[in-house]
Amino acid sequence: MNGMRGMSAMARAVPMTNGSTTSRPRSPKESKPRRKWLKSLSDRIVTAALLVGLVCCLYGVIRPDQAESATGATPVVVYTVQPGDTLWDYASSITPADGDVNETVDTLVRINNLDSVSLRPGQRLLVPER
């Protein structure tokens, strides 16, 4: 019986002209099950989808950001730090009465590329004109 099952798996019924059927062995191409082909196709589709997703993610990481800048040059004055000056005190002295000192400090830090709010006597600060 085992021999028959093995034979039937590898053989295919072929109709004869007299109405009966006979078995002939399948060719190696015909023996590949359709499920295996579909699995291979679905694996390729999943792989392609993952690659597209990866490319999209990488594009999001490496694409250049758009520069945001003022439309024109900002006029500045140069202030030389005096002994005893602090950034907060100086920012307070140049901030308009209705302005926020915190914003002025942030602006001074950004314009002058300061690593900290500590100042040294003789240090020169670029200060936007008001």
Side-chain angles (χ1 to χ4, degrees):
M1 186 107 171
N2 262 347
M4 289 292 263
R5 207 165 50 187
M7 177 70 167
S8 65
M10 292 300 292
R12 182 173 64 142
V14 178
M16 300 293 288
T17 55
N18 63 359
S20 66
T21 59
T22 183
S23 295
R24 72 173 170 91
R26 291 184 178 185
S27 70
K29 219 176 205 181
E30 291 175 336
S31 66
K32 183 177 181 182
R34 182 180 172 112
R35 271 185 267 146
K36 189 172 184 180
W37 181 81
L38 287 175
K39 172 122 175 66
S40 173
L41 179 63
S42 67
D43 287 347
R44 289 180 184 176
I45 291 171
V46 168
T47 302
L50 288 173
L51 285 174
V52 168
L54 179 64
V55 167
C56 289
C57 289
L58 288 175
Y59 178 73
V61 170
I62 63 173
R63 76 167 186 256
D65 290 333
Q66 291 186 356
E68 296 178 19
S69 61
T71 56
T74 303
V76 295
V77 294
V78 178
Y79 173 75
T80 303
V81 176
Q82 302 301 313
D85 280 349
T86 65
L87 191 58
W88 182 265
D89 289 340
Y90 180 68
S92 297
S93 69
I94 63 169
T95 302
D98 61 337
D100 184 6
V101 178
N102 283 320
E103 288 180 16
T104 305
V105 169
D106 290 341
T107 301
L108 291 173
V109 168
R110 183 175 35 83
I111 289 175
N112 292 285
N113 296 322
L114 300 176
D115 294 331
S116 71
V117 293
S118 299
L119 300 176
R120 297 179 319 274
Q123 181 178 3
R124 296 182 186 272
L125 296 178
L126 297 176
V127 182
E129 278 186 349
R130 301 237 182 232

